[in-house]
Amino acid sequence: MNGAEVKGVESPAEPLEWRFSQVFGERSAGEEVQEVDIISAIEFDKTGDHLATGDRGGRVVLFERTDKRDHGGYRRDLEMMDNPVRTHPEFRYKTEFQSHEPEFDYLKSLEIEEKINKIRWCQTANNALFLLSTNDKTIKFWKIQEKKVKKICDMNIDPSKATGNCNPACSIVKPHVTNGGCADRSYGCLSKDFALPAGSFAALHFPTFILSCLSKEGKKGYLRHHVVGIFQHAFIALIAKDVLISDTKSSECISKMLIKEYLFKVSARIDSYGTEKVQQMVHSNETSLSARCRRIYAHAHDYHINSISNNSDGETFISADDLRINLWNLEISNQSFNIVDVKPTNMEDLTEVITSAEFHPTHCNMLAYSSSKGSIRLIDLRQSALCDSHAKLFEGMEAPNSKSFFTEIIASISDIKFGKDGRYILSRDYMNLKALWDINMDSGPVATFPVHEYLRPKLCDLYENDSIFDKFECCLSGDGTRVATGSYSNLFRVFGCTAGSTEATTLEASKNPMS
């Protein structure tokens, strides 16, 4: 080739460099990380084109994928073609908003921090993004939409005809004189026999708004007379209440009040008769993203919310705490339906708590939840309104001779996830990543991947410093061929879960994001 440039051949993308970072933004070496800036929740939408993150300060930051634009189509579609994409996914900042504020529960004397625990994307509609975010007690439903910024650039009136102190945006204006008098009496201003009482501010100016079409006969001629009458009566009512005083500042305030009420009534009358109004020439070349909270779902959980999950029907979602799972309708924020309640009559009889819950990705009547005893229950909403009984129970069986004081503690499941097709459930306890549970076979997990087996001899030390109660999350790849979970020392493990796969990768992130 002699070093000549070869056209049409793209060089492969450089390998990814993994770096550990708990916050976003550029930071200098040694700069202290603020507690409120630490990321506490992260979630991709189903398309992979948007990423949402929440932090301990109650903020939600959104990112959007940009590399698809460089190739003229969606990356996921191009990956299925013969021409593979040679670049890694790239995301850019989209917008951010304050989702939660610190609160205080006065009944329980409990401070509720603003930290975002979970974020879940909802179905999109009308080019708007929707998501649910929650802290320990309150869930919020957000709508993020791109809106055009409208600016007035011109009006369809002749500015030379506008005089006095009226705004030309309102209408064509005729010169006014003291106390609402009008130089041209044909426009039907205040009557000659109308006078202010003694002691009032005689120099108070009335706004006189005159539309050329109001001088015509018939209904619009009647409208002209009626409009002037509206303003006269409003002013007389204020005089009767003795609110007009001989003070310039107060008179200006009263004038503004009169003008606002007058404009509202006049515009309503004119619109009802179809009178031609002055048009504002508006252009909107700029856009801005606005986040609006559409619903707030509060006061439904006595304990900290550990899970929220959207239903495939696009209308409902569940929220779970340690003892209850509630079913919500997205459009109804003041009422929820309790579908699972494991709270015993006597709290001393409590043996297990709910640790995670998730809806089935395709069947709107099915959901699963895990417990601190290491079991996963699959329930069917068609069987009963209150799901006291489960459709299927998945739990791993320990060998009798391997039980110890720590057996139940390390068996507690901290997270569960459904596969994309809904057939498999991925779960994570302290020691292992159990991939996968087949919902058609409840005898045991299809595969189990050890993650913390090297810590088994140190369980006593981990119990003393409470590390044994740490919780780890898990996830599946989009194609369902790999599973991943976190570990200690900035490590995370990736395993292949297809039949016959022996893939097991350990990735380490750098502690210093600037290195």
Side-chain angles (χ1 to χ4, degrees):
M1 305 295 288
N2 297 327
E5 182 180 355
V6 180
K7 296 183 180 181
V9 178
E10 297 184 15
S11 58
E14 296 181 1
L16 286 173
E17 181 181 357
W18 297 93
R19 295 188 179 186
F20 174 75
S21 179
Q22 291 179 295
V23 296
F24 286 117
E26 296 293 333
R27 295 181 180 271
S28 58
E31 182 179 353
E32 185 178 355
V33 175
Q34 299 295 323
E35 182 78 11
V36 295
D37 295 331
I38 295 178
I39 299 169
S40 57
I42 187 167
E43 183 80 5
F44 282 96
D45 69 346
K46 289 184 177 180
T47 65
D49 295 333
H50 293 93
L51 172 67
T53 63
D55 60 26
R56 295 189 178 182
R59 296 181 298 266
V60 173
V61 184
L62 302 184
F63 298 85
E64 67 176 350
R65 198 169 181 174
T66 58
D67 60 297
K68 66 180 183 182
R69 299 177 182 177
D70 300 333
H71 296 87
Y74 284 89
R75 180 186 176 97
R76 63 177 180 273
D77 296 333
L78 295 173
E79 287 174 345
M80 301 174 64
M81 300 170 60
D82 294 335
N83 300 323
V85 178
R86 300 292 183 178
T87 59
H88 296 299
E90 295 179 3
F91 288 82
R92 71 171 177 86
Y93 170 85
K94 188 176 182 71
T95 187
E96 67 177 281
F97 55 90
Q98 187 70 33
S99 175
H100 288 73
E101 300 283 355
E103 303 174 38
F104 190 81
D105 189 338
Y106 293 97
L107 293 176
K108 298 182 179 180
S109 297
L110 179 67
E111 186 176 353
I112 304 172
E113 61 180 351
E114 65 272 31
K115 184 187 76 169
I116 305 297
N117 288 340
K118 298 289 182 180
I119 297 176
R120 291 293 181 266
W121 289 93
C122 303
Q123 293 182 1
T124 60
N126 300 325
N127 294 324
L129 302 174
F130 297 88
L131 58 84
L132 291 166
S133 62
T134 183
N135 61 357
D136 288 336
K137 294 290 185 179
T138 305
I139 306 168
K140 294 187 178 183
F141 182 42
W142 291 92
K143 177 182 180 180
I144 302 93
Q145 190 172 28
E146 198 172 63
K147 292 187 176 181
K148 292 183 178 180
V149 179
K150 296 182 179 180
K151 294 183 179 180
I152 300 175
C153 62
D154 197 7
M155 304 195 185
N156 63 343
I157 64 172
D158 186 358
S160 63
K161 294 181 181 180
T163 59
N165 58 2
C166 289
N167 185 353
C170 299
S171 63
I172 303 175
V173 180
K174 290 290 182 180
H176 61 76
V177 294
T178 304
N179 292 340
C182 186
D184 188 350
R185 304 304 301 179
S186 64
Y187 286 91
C189 297
L190 294 176
S191 59
K192 292 180 180 179
D193 57 350
F194 177 75
L196 292 173
S200 61
F201 187 71
L204 181 64
H205 289 267
F206 296 120
T208 305
F209 298 88
I210 298 177
L211 297 173
S212 59
C213 54
L214 292 184
S215 61
K216 298 179 182 180
E217 298 299 328
K219 289 184 177 180
K220 295 176 182 177
Y222 164 77
L223 177 61
R224 170 188 57 76
H225 178 74
H226 192 71
V227 162
V228 174
I230 291 174
F231 186 61
Q232 286 186 359
H233 288 307
F235 184 70
I236 292 171
L238 289 174
I239 294 174
K241 293 181 181 178
D242 197 23
V243 296
L244 291 180
I245 57 175
S246 301
D247 180 80
T248 304
K249 197 167 187 180
S250 299
S251 298
E252 289 177 356
C253 294
I254 293 169
S255 295
K256 291 179 180 178
M257 181 170 26
L258 286 169
I259 291 170
K260 185 178 291 185
E261 182 178 359
Y262 174 75
L263 283 175
F264 175 77
K265 293 184 177 181
V266 169
S267 61
R269 294 286 184 181
I270 293 174
D271 287 343
S272 65
Y273 286 103
T275 305
E276 180 182 359
K277 294 191 298 183
V278 176
Q279 298 295 322
Q280 296 176 347
M281 309 302 292
V282 179
H283 75 284
S284 53
N285 294 329
E286 299 179 3
T287 59
S288 66
L289 281 170
S290 64
R292 182 169 65 92
C293 183
R294 295 194 60 196
R295 298 285 186 277
I296 298 178
Y297 315 92
H299 312 300
H301 289 278
D302 293 330
Y303 302 92
H304 290 179
I305 298 172
N306 56 45
S307 302
I308 55 175
S309 178
N310 296 318
N311 198 347
S312 58
D313 61 8
E315 297 179 358
T316 56
F317 71 94
I318 56 171
S319 59
D321 62 20
D322 290 343
L323 299 179
R324 291 185 175 93
I325 299 178
N326 293 331
L327 177 67
W328 300 84
N329 187 297
L330 285 171
E331 300 300 325
I332 302 175
S333 59
N334 59 356
Q335 185 180 15
S336 64
F337 190 79
N338 179 234
I339 56 176
V340 176
D341 191 346
V342 299
K343 184 178 180 179
T345 305
N346 185 358
M347 287 297 288
E348 293 181 357
D349 298 332
L350 182 67
T351 58
E352 63 179 337
V353 296
I354 299 170
T355 57
S356 183
E358 181 156 321
F359 258 120
H360 192 281
T362 56
H363 299 319
C364 62
N365 58 287
M366 296 178 65
L367 63 94
Y369 70 92
S370 59
S371 76
S372 57
K373 275 193 169 182
S375 61
I376 300 174
R377 290 175 172 86
L378 186 69
I379 60 179
D380 192 338
L381 298 177
R382 297 172 299 183
Q383 292 182 350
S384 173
L386 183 60
C387 303
D388 294 326
S389 60
H390 50 266
K392 286 191 176 182
L393 176 65
F394 307 93
E395 55 183 353
M397 302 301 294
E398 291 283 342
N401 57 354
S402 64
K403 288 187 176 181
S404 67
F405 172 77
F406 306 107
T407 300
E408 279 196 10
I409 300 176
I410 62 176
S412 175
I413 295 177
S414 57
D415 190 27
I416 60 172
K417 292 286 192 304
F418 271 101
K420 190 174 182 179
D421 58 358
R423 179 176 177 180
Y424 298 100
I425 301 176
L426 175 67
S427 65
R428 173 73 156 96
D429 59 25
Y430 186 77
M431 300 296 291
N432 303 309
L433 182 65
K434 295 183 178 179
L436 300 161
W437 295 89
D438 189 335
I439 63 174
N440 298 325
M441 184 180 67
D442 54 5
S443 58
V446 176
T448 300
F449 301 105
V451 179
H452 288 160
E453 194 62 34
Y454 66 94
L455 294 177
R456 193 174 291 275
K458 304 176 182 179
L459 292 180
C460 186
D461 296 333
L462 295 171
Y463 178 78
E464 290 181 358
N465 60 23
D466 290 338
S467 296
I468 199 171
F469 300 104
D470 290 342
K471 299 181 183 301
F472 299 90
E473 295 185 4
C474 58
C475 64
L476 294 92
S477 61
D479 56 5
T481 59
R482 293 178 178 84
V483 294
T485 188
S487 182
Y488 293 110
S489 304
N490 303 322
L491 299 176
F492 62 97
R493 306 292 303 276
V494 180
F495 301 95
C497 58
T498 56
S501 175
T502 58
E503 178 183 359
T505 306
T506 301
L507 300 174
E508 180 180 4
S510 170
K511 291 184 180 181
N512 183 6
M514 304 303 296
S515 62

